[in-house]
Amino acid sequence: MKRLDFIYDRVSIRSYKEDKVPREDIIEIIKAGTYAPSGKNLQNWHFVVVTDKDKVREIANIVEKRGLIYQKAFMIKKLEIHLEKCYHIILYLKMHLY
């Protein structure tokens, strides 16, 4: 299916050029984004364009830290579940071995 090649051939880009994106291109990209489907066709779009590199780095650091916090919280919850299972196994063994 040739029309979907752009999806199947997608690659991740993790290094970017230092070139500034022209304002006209940003406006066109945002316009294209407003054509995406929305729940109940509400089209409640809100866009924030950040071009200051220091602000972009600051936002990226905040997002990264928040992601690590969520990841740690998930791991703690998972550990609690495992500990609870271990506790139940110990109780079971204690009741049946003695």
Side-chain angles (χ1 to χ4, degrees):
M1 207 177 238
K2 294 286 182 203
R3 284 187 254 169
L4 296 178
D5 285 348
F6 72 96
I7 293 174
Y8 300 127
D9 296 339
R10 185 197 66 74
V11 295
S12 295
I13 306 296
R14 291 191 174 78
S15 61
Y16 304 96
K17 296 178 180 179
E18 292 292 324
D19 304 349
K20 262 189 141 180
V21 178
R23 182 176 174 79
E24 299 78 28
D25 290 354
I26 293 171
I27 291 169
E28 187 67 27
I29 291 166
I30 291 172
K31 180 181 172 188
T34 64
Y35 281 78
S38 63
K40 297 186 180 181
N41 202 28
L42 292 175
Q43 299 179 345
N44 54 346
W45 311 117
H46 302 279
F47 297 96
V48 176
V49 177
V50 181
T51 56
D52 181 298
K53 290 182 183 190
D54 292 332
K55 285 288 180 200
V56 170
R57 275 190 217 97
E58 187 179 339
I59 292 168
N61 288 336
I62 290 169
V63 169
E64 184 178 343
K65 286 177 187 172
R66 180 154 298 157
L68 290 173
I69 290 168
Y70 287 137
Q71 186 178 20
K72 287 177 183 176
F74 175 75
M75 290 170 60
I76 289 169
K77 186 64 180 169
K78 209 170 176 183
L79 180 60
E80 288 173 355
I81 292 169
H82 287 302
L83 289 174
E84 187 176 344
K85 286 180 183 177
C86 289
Y87 175 74
H88 289 294
I89 291 169
I90 291 168
L91 284 180
Y92 176 84
L93 291 173
K94 187 175 179 183
M95 288 175 20
H96 290 86
L97 291 178
Y98 293 111

